Amino acid sequence: MRVISSPRKMNKILLEEKMAGKSIGLVPTLGYLHKGHIALIKRARKINDIVAVSIFLNPKQFSAKAFRKYPKAPKQDLNICKAEGVDYVFMPNAGSMYPESFDSSVEVPQLIGKLNGNSIRWHYRAVLTVVAKLFNIIQPNRAYFGKKDPHQLALIKRMVLDLNFPIKIISVPTKRAKDGLALSSRNSLLTPEEREAALVIPKVIKAAEIKVKGGSTDRKAITKTMTKMIDGVSSVKLDFVAVVDADSLDADRFGDDTLIYVSVFVGGKKLTDNRVVNSSRQSRNK
Ligand code: PAF
Protein backbone atom coordinates (compact mmCIF):
# COMPACT_ATOMS: atom_id res chain seq x y z
CA MET A 1 0.00 0.00 0.00
CA ARG A 2 1.35 3.43 -0.92
CA VAL A 3 0.42 6.62 0.90
CA ILE A 4 0.59 9.70 -1.32
CA SER A 5 0.07 13.29 -0.22
CA SER A 6 0.79 15.25 -3.41
CA PRO A 7 -2.25 15.69 -5.72
CA ARG A 8 0.03 15.91 -8.75
CA LYS A 9 1.93 12.73 -7.86
CA MET A 10 -1.28 10.85 -7.10
CA ASN A 11 -2.72 11.91 -10.44
CA LYS A 12 0.41 10.84 -12.34
CA ILE A 13 0.60 7.41 -10.70
CA LEU A 14 -3.07 6.61 -11.20
CA LEU A 15 -3.09 7.83 -14.80
CA GLU A 16 -0.26 5.38 -15.44
CA GLU A 17 -2.26 2.58 -13.80
CA LYS A 18 -5.22 3.46 -16.02
CA MET A 19 -3.06 3.55 -19.16
CA ALA A 20 -1.92 0.04 -18.20
CA GLY A 21 -5.58 -1.02 -18.43
CA LYS A 22 -6.34 -1.18 -14.70
CA SER A 23 -9.73 -0.19 -13.31
CA ILE A 24 -9.76 2.14 -10.31
CA GLY A 25 -12.29 2.24 -7.46
CA LEU A 26 -12.27 5.31 -5.21
CA VAL A 27 -13.60 5.49 -1.65
CA PRO A 28 -13.59 9.17 -0.61
CA THR A 29 -13.52 9.70 3.18
CA LEU A 30 -12.99 12.34 5.83
CA GLY A 31 -10.94 9.88 7.90
CA TYR A 32 -11.69 8.26 11.27
CA LEU A 33 -12.73 5.15 9.40
CA HIS A 34 -15.41 2.84 10.79
CA LYS A 35 -17.32 -0.26 9.67
CA GLY A 36 -19.34 1.82 7.22
CA HIS A 37 -16.15 2.86 5.39
CA ILE A 38 -14.86 -0.72 5.53
CA ALA A 39 -18.06 -1.88 3.79
CA LEU A 40 -17.35 0.65 0.99
CA ILE A 41 -13.72 -0.51 0.67
CA LYS A 42 -14.79 -4.17 0.57
CA ARG A 43 -17.29 -3.40 -2.22
CA ALA A 44 -14.60 -1.55 -4.16
CA ARG A 45 -12.07 -4.36 -3.59
CA LYS A 46 -14.45 -6.90 -5.17
CA ILE A 47 -14.37 -5.60 -8.73
CA ASN A 48 -11.63 -2.99 -9.20
CA ASP A 49 -7.99 -3.75 -10.03
CA ILE A 50 -6.88 -0.78 -7.95
CA VAL A 51 -8.57 0.55 -4.80
CA ALA A 52 -7.76 4.09 -3.73
CA VAL A 53 -9.02 5.61 -0.47
CA SER A 54 -8.83 9.35 0.02
CA ILE A 55 -8.49 10.58 3.59
CA PHE A 56 -9.02 14.31 3.63
CA LEU A 57 -10.80 16.27 6.34
CA ASN A 58 -12.05 18.93 3.96
CA PRO A 59 -12.00 22.22 5.94
CA LYS A 60 -14.32 23.96 3.50
CA GLN A 61 -17.30 21.73 4.32
CA PHE A 62 -17.26 22.43 8.08
CA SER A 63 -17.67 25.37 10.39
CA ALA A 64 -14.36 26.20 12.11
CA LYS A 65 -15.63 24.70 15.37
CA ALA A 66 -16.93 21.46 13.82
CA PHE A 67 -13.64 21.10 11.91
CA ARG A 68 -11.60 21.41 15.11
CA LYS A 69 -13.76 18.89 16.91
CA TYR A 70 -13.95 16.29 14.14
CA PRO A 71 -12.27 13.06 15.34
CA LYS A 72 -8.97 12.12 13.71
CA ALA A 73 -6.96 8.88 13.82
CA PRO A 74 -4.63 8.78 10.80
CA LYS A 75 -2.49 5.86 12.03
CA GLN A 76 -5.54 3.72 12.76
CA ASP A 77 -7.01 4.69 9.37
CA LEU A 78 -3.87 3.53 7.57
CA ASN A 79 -3.89 0.23 9.48
CA ILE A 80 -7.50 -0.35 8.43
CA CYS A 81 -6.69 0.45 4.79
CA LYS A 82 -3.72 -1.92 4.84
CA ALA A 83 -5.79 -4.71 6.39
CA GLU A 84 -8.48 -4.23 3.72
CA GLY A 85 -5.99 -4.52 0.85
CA VAL A 86 -6.15 -0.89 -0.29
CA ASP A 87 -3.55 -0.07 -2.97
CA TYR A 88 -3.28 3.71 -2.56
CA VAL A 89 -4.21 6.09 0.23
CA PHE A 90 -4.42 9.69 -0.92
CA MET A 91 -3.81 11.91 2.11
CA PRO A 92 -3.30 15.48 0.94
CA ASN A 93 -2.99 18.51 3.18
CA ALA A 94 -5.33 21.49 2.88
CA GLY A 95 -2.60 23.68 1.38
CA SER A 96 -2.05 21.35 -1.56
CA MET A 97 -5.79 20.98 -2.22
CA TYR A 98 -6.53 24.69 -1.80
CA PRO A 99 -3.54 26.88 -2.68
CA GLU A 100 -4.02 30.59 -1.96
CA SER A 101 -5.16 31.28 -5.50
CA PHE A 102 -7.96 28.67 -5.30
CA ASP A 103 -11.22 30.24 -6.48
CA SER A 104 -13.53 27.64 -8.03
CA SER A 105 -16.61 25.83 -6.81
CA VAL A 106 -19.20 23.42 -8.13
CA GLU A 107 -22.85 24.38 -7.75
CA VAL A 108 -26.01 22.38 -8.46
CA PRO A 109 -28.37 25.28 -7.76
CA GLN A 110 -31.80 23.63 -7.81
CA LEU A 111 -31.10 20.29 -6.14
CA ILE A 112 -28.75 21.80 -3.57
CA GLY A 113 -31.63 23.79 -2.07
CA LYS A 114 -33.81 20.71 -1.49
CA LEU A 115 -34.40 19.10 1.91
CA ASN A 116 -32.76 21.59 4.26
CA GLY A 117 -30.02 22.46 1.79
CA ASN A 118 -30.69 26.19 1.56
CA SER A 119 -29.42 26.70 5.09
CA ILE A 120 -26.18 24.84 4.31
CA ARG A 121 -25.67 25.53 0.60
CA TRP A 122 -22.04 26.35 1.37
CA HIS A 123 -21.56 22.87 2.88
CA TYR A 124 -22.82 20.94 -0.15
CA ARG A 125 -21.00 23.30 -2.54
CA ALA A 126 -17.77 22.46 -0.67
CA VAL A 127 -18.55 18.73 -0.79
CA LEU A 128 -19.21 18.84 -4.55
CA THR A 129 -16.08 20.88 -5.16
CA VAL A 130 -13.80 18.52 -3.24
CA VAL A 131 -15.41 15.44 -4.80
CA ALA A 132 -14.90 16.93 -8.29
CA LYS A 133 -11.24 17.57 -7.38
CA LEU A 134 -10.83 14.00 -6.11
CA PHE A 135 -12.42 12.64 -9.30
CA ASN A 136 -10.00 14.66 -11.43
CA ILE A 137 -6.96 13.69 -9.36
CA ILE A 138 -7.76 9.99 -9.00
CA GLN A 139 -9.67 9.40 -12.27
CA PRO A 140 -11.67 6.48 -10.87
CA ASN A 141 -13.89 4.21 -12.95
CA ARG A 142 -16.14 3.78 -9.92
CA ALA A 143 -16.64 5.84 -6.76
CA TYR A 144 -18.29 4.51 -3.60
CA PHE A 145 -20.51 6.50 -1.22
CA GLY A 146 -22.68 5.54 1.73
CA LYS A 147 -26.44 6.04 1.55
CA LYS A 148 -26.35 7.83 4.89
CA ASP A 149 -26.44 11.28 3.28
CA PRO A 150 -29.00 10.92 0.46
CA HIS A 151 -28.79 14.62 -0.37
CA GLN A 152 -25.03 14.41 -0.89
CA LEU A 153 -25.51 11.27 -2.98
CA ALA A 154 -28.20 12.86 -5.19
CA LEU A 155 -26.01 15.94 -5.71
CA ILE A 156 -22.93 13.92 -6.64
CA LYS A 157 -24.96 11.81 -9.10
CA ARG A 158 -26.36 14.99 -10.67
CA MET A 159 -22.88 16.57 -10.93
CA VAL A 160 -21.45 13.41 -12.55
CA LEU A 161 -24.28 13.38 -15.10
CA ASP A 162 -24.25 17.11 -15.83
CA LEU A 163 -20.48 17.48 -16.06
CA ASN A 164 -19.85 14.19 -17.94
CA PHE A 165 -17.53 12.59 -15.42
CA PRO A 166 -16.99 9.06 -16.84
CA ILE A 167 -17.49 7.55 -13.39
CA LYS A 168 -20.03 5.08 -12.03
CA ILE A 169 -21.38 6.14 -8.63
CA ILE A 170 -22.05 3.16 -6.39
CA SER A 171 -24.07 3.64 -3.22
CA VAL A 172 -23.75 1.25 -0.34
CA PRO A 173 -26.34 0.72 2.45
CA THR A 174 -25.76 2.42 5.80
CA LYS A 175 -24.12 0.28 8.50
CA ARG A 176 -25.87 0.38 11.85
CA ALA A 177 -24.98 -0.63 15.39
CA LYS A 178 -27.04 -3.50 16.89
CA ASP A 179 -29.36 -0.99 18.57
CA GLY A 180 -30.10 0.68 15.21
CA LEU A 181 -27.95 3.82 15.44
CA ALA A 182 -26.32 4.55 12.07
CA LEU A 183 -22.52 4.37 12.23
CA SER A 184 -20.84 7.74 11.97
CA SER A 185 -17.40 9.05 12.91
CA ARG A 186 -19.25 11.64 15.02
CA ASN A 187 -20.74 8.91 17.27
CA SER A 188 -17.34 8.73 18.99
CA LEU A 189 -17.93 12.28 20.28
CA LEU A 190 -21.16 11.31 22.09
CA THR A 191 -21.28 10.74 25.85
CA PRO A 192 -23.05 7.49 26.90
CA GLU A 193 -26.16 9.56 27.80
CA GLU A 194 -26.11 11.36 24.44
CA ARG A 195 -25.69 8.06 22.59
CA GLU A 196 -28.72 6.68 24.44
CA ALA A 197 -30.75 9.80 23.56
CA ALA A 198 -29.67 9.48 19.90
CA LEU A 199 -31.61 6.20 19.69
CA VAL A 200 -34.68 8.33 19.09
CA ILE A 201 -33.41 8.65 15.47
CA PRO A 202 -33.97 5.01 14.41
CA LYS A 203 -37.25 5.04 16.38
CA VAL A 204 -38.51 8.09 14.49
CA ILE A 205 -37.50 6.57 11.17
CA LYS A 206 -39.26 3.30 12.03
CA ALA A 207 -42.45 5.16 13.00
CA ALA A 208 -42.45 7.06 9.70
CA GLU A 209 -41.62 3.91 7.74
CA ILE A 210 -44.63 2.10 9.21
CA LYS A 211 -46.90 4.98 8.10
CA VAL A 212 -45.45 5.15 4.58
CA LYS A 213 -45.60 1.37 4.17
CA GLY A 214 -49.15 1.48 5.49
CA GLY A 215 -50.05 3.65 2.51
CA SER A 216 -50.18 7.08 4.18
CA THR A 217 -49.55 9.91 1.72
CA ASP A 218 -50.11 12.66 4.30
CA ARG A 219 -46.47 13.63 4.56
CA LYS A 220 -47.23 16.69 6.69
CA ALA A 221 -48.88 14.51 9.33
CA ILE A 222 -45.97 12.06 9.26
CA THR A 223 -43.35 14.80 9.73
CA LYS A 224 -45.46 16.26 12.55
CA THR A 225 -45.37 12.91 14.37
CA MET A 226 -41.63 12.67 13.78
CA THR A 227 -41.06 16.18 15.13
CA LYS A 228 -43.14 15.42 18.22
CA MET A 229 -41.13 12.29 18.99
CA ILE A 230 -37.85 14.23 18.72
CA ASP A 231 -39.15 17.14 20.80
CA GLY A 232 -39.98 14.57 23.50
CA VAL A 233 -36.27 13.92 24.14
CA SER A 234 -34.89 16.99 25.89
CA SER A 235 -31.22 16.51 24.95
CA VAL A 236 -32.01 16.09 21.25
CA LYS A 237 -32.53 19.24 19.17
CA LEU A 238 -34.40 18.99 15.90
CA ASP A 239 -32.52 20.16 12.80
CA PHE A 240 -35.15 18.95 10.37
CA VAL A 241 -37.16 15.93 9.26
CA ALA A 242 -38.42 15.23 5.77
CA VAL A 243 -40.60 12.75 3.93
CA VAL A 244 -40.09 13.36 0.21
CA ASP A 245 -39.89 11.71 -3.18
CA ALA A 246 -36.50 9.97 -3.18
CA ASP A 247 -35.44 11.03 -6.70
CA SER A 248 -36.51 14.67 -6.88
CA LEU A 249 -36.41 15.30 -3.10
CA ASP A 250 -39.79 17.06 -3.59
CA ALA A 251 -42.40 16.77 -0.83
CA ASP A 252 -45.31 17.02 -3.28
CA ARG A 253 -44.12 14.42 -5.77
CA PHE A 254 -45.00 10.72 -5.37
CA GLY A 255 -42.61 8.50 -7.35
CA ASP A 256 -41.59 4.89 -6.74
CA ASP A 257 -39.49 5.59 -3.66
CA THR A 258 -40.07 7.72 -0.59
CA LEU A 259 -37.15 9.10 1.41
CA ILE A 260 -37.57 9.46 5.16
CA TYR A 261 -34.86 11.73 6.53
CA VAL A 262 -33.93 12.82 10.05
CA SER A 263 -31.30 15.38 11.06
CA VAL A 264 -30.81 16.31 14.72
CA PHE A 265 -28.23 17.73 17.08
CA VAL A 266 -27.31 15.68 20.15
CA GLY A 267 -25.08 17.60 22.54
CA GLY A 268 -24.25 19.92 19.66
CA LYS A 269 -23.20 17.03 17.36
CA LYS A 270 -25.15 16.72 14.15
CA LEU A 271 -26.48 13.22 13.48
CA THR A 272 -28.49 12.15 10.45
CA ASP A 273 -30.10 9.01 9.18
CA ASN A 274 -32.61 8.02 6.54
CA ARG A 275 -34.50 5.20 4.95
CA VAL A 276 -35.84 4.75 1.44
CA VAL A 277 -39.15 2.93 1.28
CA ASN A 278 -40.33 1.77 -2.11
CA SER A 279 -43.88 1.62 -3.34
CA SER A 280 -43.85 -2.17 -3.35
CA ARG A 281 -43.64 -1.62 0.41
CA GLN A 282 -40.16 -2.98 0.87
CA SER A 283 -37.68 -0.87 2.73
CA ARG A 284 -34.31 -0.32 1.15
CA ASN A 285 -31.15 0.92 2.84
CA LYS A 286 -31.68 -1.47 5.74
O1 PAF B 1 -19.33 12.00 3.08
C1 PAF B 1 -18.13 12.27 3.24
O2 PAF B 1 -17.38 11.53 3.89
C2 PAF B 1 -17.56 13.56 2.66
O3 PAF B 1 -18.56 14.51 2.50
C3 PAF B 1 -16.80 13.34 1.34
C4 PAF B 1 -17.68 12.75 0.27
C5 PAF B 1 -15.60 12.44 1.57
C6 PAF B 1 -16.29 14.70 0.81
O4 PAF B 1 -15.42 15.32 1.70
Side-chain angles (χ1 to χ4, degrees), residues 114-232:
K114 296 288 168 70
L115 290 179
N116 205 30
N118 266 330
S119 63
I120 46 167
R121 232 166 224 279
W122 61 272
H123 163 80
Y124 283 119
R125 208 182 284 130
V127 169
L128 289 171
T129 305
V130 81
V131 169
K133 279 176 75 72
L134 291 170
F135 285 175
N136 283 330
I137 293 165
I138 291 173
Q139 303 270 326
N141 301 76
R142 302 176 188 88
Y144 296 79
F145 295 89
K147 290 188 177 176
K148 199 166 150 291
D149 186 340
H151 199 180
Q152 170 175 287
L153 195 58
L155 287 164
I156 291 169
K157 283 184 178 167
R158 170 57 46 204
M159 174 185 78
V160 162
L161 217 69
D162 288 354
L163 301 185
N164 304 90
F165 281 102
I167 298 170
K168 188 159 187 215
I169 301 300
I170 295 171
S171 56
V172 178
T174 305
K175 282 261 172 222
R176 292 191 169 78
K178 280 206 180 92
D179 57 14
L181 191 66
L183 296 190
S184 159
S185 305
R186 288 194 187 115
N187 292 356
S188 68
L189 302 172
L190 301 171
T191 63
E193 295 74 27
E194 286 169 350
R195 200 190 172 291
E196 188 62 32
L199 290 178
V200 71
I201 303 169
K203 284 184 195 145
V204 164
I205 289 185
K206 188 79 207 161
E209 184 184 355
I210 289 169
K211 295 229 182 227
V212 173
K213 280 186 173 173
S216 170
T217 51
D218 188 349
R219 289 175 171 167
K220 261 201 183 136
I222 300 174
T223 52
K224 218 168 159 185
T225 306
M226 294 165 82
T227 304
K228 221 168 154 190
M229 284 176 77
I230 292 167
D231 286 347

Side-chain angles (χ1 to χ4, degrees), residues 27-31 37 40 54-58 61-62 70 98 123-124 126-128 130-131 134 144-146 149 152 156 185:
V27 179
T29 81
L30 295 161
H37 297 112
L40 299 179
S54 64
I55 298 179
F56 178 56
L57 189 55
N58 178 27
Q61 72 184 70
F62 293 98
Y70 201 89
Y98 305 115
H123 163 80
Y124 283 119
V127 169
L128 289 171
V130 81
V131 169
L134 291 170
Y144 296 79
F145 295 89
D149 186 340
Q152 170 175 287
I156 291 169
S185 305

Side-chain angles (χ1 to χ4, degrees), residues 88-123:
Y88 294 98
V89 177
F90 178 49
M91 247 178 160
N93 57 40
S96 66
M97 289 294 272
Y98 305 115
E100 254 178 49
S101 55
F102 189 85
D103 192 28
S104 301
S105 71
V106 180
E107 174 72 285
V108 181
Q110 303 238 358
L111 198 55
I112 217 166
K114 296 288 168 70
L115 290 179
N116 205 30
N118 266 330
S119 63
I120 46 167
R121 232 166 224 279
W122 61 272
H123 163 80

